[in-house]
Amino acid sequence: MKKYFFYTIIFIAGLILNASDANAQGCVAVRGMSCSGGTQALGLSSLEQGQFQFSASYRYFQSYKHFVGDVEQTQRVALGTQVVNTVNNIDLGLAYGLTNRLSVTLNLPVSFFDRSQLLSSDIKLNPQWLRFHTGAQGIGDIRLSADYLLFNPASAKGNVSVGAGIKIPTGNANAQGTFHNVLKDGRDSTTVHAVDQSIQLGDGGWGFTVQTQGFFSIFKNASVYFNGFYMFNPREVNNTLNKGTLAGVDPIIAYQSVADQYAARIGINYIPVTSWGLAVSLGGRLEGIPSHDLIGGSSGFRRPGYIISAEPGLAYSKGNSALVVSLPVALYRNRTKSYYDLQDPTGVRWGDAAFADYLVNATFTHRFGRSGHAAMPVLPKWQQAGPNQ
């Protein structure tokens, strides 16, 4: 049994970690999509025909550092005018092996968003710098995808999967909130309209995804992993008013955009002691929203940008269950110009976005049915000999 630990942990640390959501570290409105379908990869790594696998991922971040381009607007935090988004997301997945190479996965995200901002940035009207909160809670956009292993699952050196899927607009894209403002006479004025795009549960459009991921052994107890994900959103805008009204709003950003999104990861897994069932990993992570969609128009309100992070992780596996924790830490953040910004003939207009410093991911998985060993490779002798064997 011990000889299977190496293979299992290699896949778990390299591919289960891919279940870390590409839930962007900030107001760049990347939805709670797994970086490459996430749980699909795990299912592909070990599922036999007729086998099921359940996964549950938890993600947390708090964005509060504002950027214009790659320049941090440090005065926002210093003055206390920053907007703070707090995100708690749970992603539930169920994968099924149609064959030893082909699997399908259904993912259901459930999110709890909170957004805090000042009642007024006028110190005379709001001397105590009081804040108010808006939020949204509920299910997001469901994803259904299929993934296929390109090489024989018995290969011990590595494998690559390719996949495609659809995103169904089941999440509420028009969640409403109560917004406060202090009038000049000191009274509290409230209006009810759509919450900010960054905390909407869904984007309001059908989409489709393409993804690839894989791993390759490089030396004893070590492998490299990679994955890539792109979601196409052909719909240009949804029915959610960006400012809660059309009065005085530029038509280009009157409604919220239904934007594409992307993510990519690459890194190294290492198993210190094979028999422990532990693996460590370190990699790089890129995720973001483009200014222009590849299919369809790009108008509407969006905050395009991207984040590059260093991503350390730790994985533990026992039997048919596994637990993975990773901590992507932002190294570079860039709020790029949107389609709307680019329409400014002076070139001056450039919106901002708030980003987080780090993202917490934790993923639990469990396989049901047969042991899955028939789908695992017989490891070469140099990989079978662990330090404690």
Side-chain angles (χ1 to χ4, degrees):
M1 294 295 292
K2 287 185 178 180
K3 70 180 182 180
Y4 292 112
F5 268 116
F6 176 84
Y7 174 81
T8 302
I9 296 299
I10 284 291
F11 259 121
I12 288 170
L15 297 181
I16 298 183
L17 272 174
N18 294 347
S20 300
D21 182 340
N23 197 350
Q25 290 166 245
C27 288
V28 177
V30 178
R31 300 295 157 197
M33 304 293 172
S34 297
C35 187
S36 236
T39 53
Q40 293 92 316
L42 177 60
L44 286 169
S45 69
S46 56
L47 287 183
E48 297 179 26
Q49 182 177 1
Q51 198 172 34
F52 287 92
Q53 183 164 263
F54 168 78
S55 66
S57 297
Y58 170 75
R59 308 173 190 94
Y60 166 84
F61 71 81
Q62 187 175 80
S63 65
Y64 66 99
K65 290 186 176 179
H66 290 252
F67 283 77
V68 174
D70 61 359
V71 179
E72 183 182 349
Q73 308 301 295
T74 55
Q75 75 278 5
R76 295 293 298 271
V77 173
L79 296 174
T81 63
Q82 76 276 20
V83 175
V84 181
N85 275 11
T86 302
V87 174
N88 290 275
N89 176 266
I90 299 170
D91 191 281
L92 304 176
L94 185 64
Y96 177 73
L98 296 175
T99 72
N100 285 355
R101 287 195 181 187
L102 178 65
S103 71
V104 292
T105 303
L106 181 70
N107 285 96
L108 173 66
V110 182
S111 297
F112 303 87
F113 296 120
D114 178 80
R115 183 176 175 87
S116 167
Q117 56 198 96
L118 286 176
L119 284 170
S120 172
S121 58
D122 187 333
I123 190 65
K124 294 180 180 179
L125 298 177
N126 187 21
Q128 294 179 303
W129 239 222
L130 298 178
R131 305 176 73 90
F132 71 94
H133 295 257
T134 52
Q137 303 83 35
I139 66 170
D141 293 338
I142 291 174
R143 293 99 64 197
L144 178 64
S145 60
D147 292 87
Y148 182 76
L149 283 173
L150 296 182
F151 307 115
N152 189 334
S155 171
K157 290 292 185 180
N159 219 319
V160 176
S161 74
V162 294
I166 60 171
K167 183 259 299 179
I168 307 169
T170 51
N172 184 4
N174 194 22
Q176 302 286 299
T178 300
F179 290 77
H180 296 257
N181 190 31
V182 182
L183 301 178
K184 290 184 178 181
D185 61 5
R187 289 183 297 121
D188 181 18
S189 173
T190 62
T191 57
V192 177
H193 59 81
V195 299
D196 189 80
Q197 185 185 48
S198 61
I199 61 170
Q200 289 289 348
L201 297 169
D203 59 26
W206 288 79
F208 62 96
T209 62
V210 293
Q211 62 244 14
T212 183
Q213 53 199 320
F215 84 101
F216 292 97
S217 298
I218 51 176
F219 55 85
K220 184 176 180 179
N221 287 15
S223 68
V224 295
Y225 66 86
F226 69 90
N227 65 1
F229 167 90
Y230 196 94
M231 183 174 71
F232 302 86
N233 266 321
R235 186 177 183 181
E236 188 167 17
V237 296
N238 56 32
N239 297 323
T240 302
L241 288 172
N242 178 43
K243 297 291 186 180
T245 177
L246 292 175
V249 179
D250 190 310
I252 295 178
I253 57 169
Y255 294 91
Q256 293 184 3
S257 176
V258 184
D260 289 0
Q261 71 181 63
Y262 59 87
R265 299 171 67 249
I266 187 169
I268 298 176
N269 302 310
Y270 179 70
I271 302 173
V273 180
T274 307
S275 61
W276 289 357
L278 289 172
V280 294
S281 66
L282 179 63
R285 176 187 182 103
L286 166 70
E287 54 194 338
I289 289 284
S291 297
H292 294 79
D293 292 347
L294 292 182
I295 300 175
S298 304
S299 66
F301 178 78
R302 74 170 72 184
R303 295 185 183 95
Y306 61 92
I307 311 100
I308 299 174
S309 304
E311 186 174 21
L314 180 67
Y316 175 72
S317 173
K318 184 174 183 179
N320 285 343
S321 299
L323 177 65
V324 179
V325 178
S326 68
L327 186 72
V329 178
L331 301 177
Y332 180 80
R333 289 158 281 194
N334 192 328
R335 199 292 199 182
T336 56
K337 284 194 173 186
S338 66
Y339 174 83
Y340 173 66
D341 294 333
L342 294 170
Q343 306 312 302
D344 178 13
T346 68
V348 173
R349 186 165 58 210
W350 199 329
D352 76 333
F355 294 87
D357 287 328
Y358 62 89
L359 172 69
V360 177
N361 292 315
T363 299
F364 171 79
T365 59
H366 182 77
R367 297 192 306 268
F368 297 91
R370 291 174 293 178
S371 66
H373 289 170
M376 294 183 180
V378 176
L379 300 177
K381 294 296 184 182
W382 64 270
Q383 288 185 345
Q384 292 180 17
N388 292 345
Q389 291 183 306

